[in-house]
Amino acid sequence: MAETTRERAPETADGGRTRLVKGPGMLLVWLYGVMSVGAVSRSIYQISSEFEHAPLAYTLSAVAAVVYVFITYTLVRGGETARRAALVCCAAELAGVLVVGTWTLVEPSAFPDSTVWSDFGYGYVFIPVLLPLTGIWWLRRSRTA
């Protein structure tokens, strides 16, 4: 009987939470982790050294950093509540990328410097627009019955 319980343990984490970091979820955690480090580092540097140059752009980069960190945390945490929170955040992230990406193309003068989401993430090889799409797909697919 004890063997059966131990065999199921890898499928759940902390009291039966559904694991979100299996299969493609592991790649998502890794990518969101890398984007978190990049966006946090970039926004800290820009806000501390040249905030007056482009306050809107640097503030939006900081918002992107917070979103990336939160999604990374919820993916690692697992569970249905975390999955739903990550899904909402991925949708908000996608909306932000689309709004900021469109805004930077329509009115480039509003952004004297780029953000993480400028030009739909062009400076980050379009990962900022592809990541939430992939995240939404994975989170919907990993929903518990």
Side-chain angles (χ1 to χ4, degrees):
M1 207 45 121
E3 294 298 321
T4 306
T5 305
R6 288 184 192 185
E7 288 175 0
R8 282 191 231 162
E11 296 175 8
T12 62
D14 297 333
R17 286 190 195 133
T18 304
R19 290 193 61 197
L20 299 173
V21 291
K22 57 186 177 193
M26 186 62 91
L27 179 60
L28 274 177
V29 168
W30 186 83
L31 288 170
Y32 270 112
V34 168
M35 291 301 290
S36 295
V37 170
V40 166
S41 302
R42 176 184 179 143
S43 62
I44 287 172
Y45 171 77
Q46 290 174 325
I47 289 172
S48 66
S49 66
E50 39 191 52
F51 185 73
E52 65 283 345
H53 175 67
L56 178 61
Y58 301 154
T59 301
L60 288 172
S61 285
V63 168
V66 170
V67 169
Y68 292 143
V69 169
F70 183 77
I71 291 172
T72 303
Y73 168 75
T74 56
L75 288 171
V76 169
R77 185 172 191 282
E80 187 58 21
T81 303
R83 187 194 65 78
R84 279 191 242 126
L87 189 57
V88 168
C89 259
C90 282
E93 175 194 0
L94 181 59
V97 171
L98 295 176
V99 167
V100 172
T102 303
W103 192 359
T104 56
L105 293 177
V106 171
E107 192 178 337
S109 63
F111 296 90
D113 202 353
S114 63
T115 73
V116 174
W117 295 341
S118 291
D119 303 318
F120 306 103
Y122 175 77
Y124 288 83
V125 196
F126 297 105
I127 291 172
V129 77
L130 297 173
L131 204 50
L133 291 171
T134 307
I136 290 168
W137 170 79
W138 173 249
L139 290 164
R140 289 179 53 84
R141 185 174 174 268
S142 65
R143 156 178 51 202
T144 58

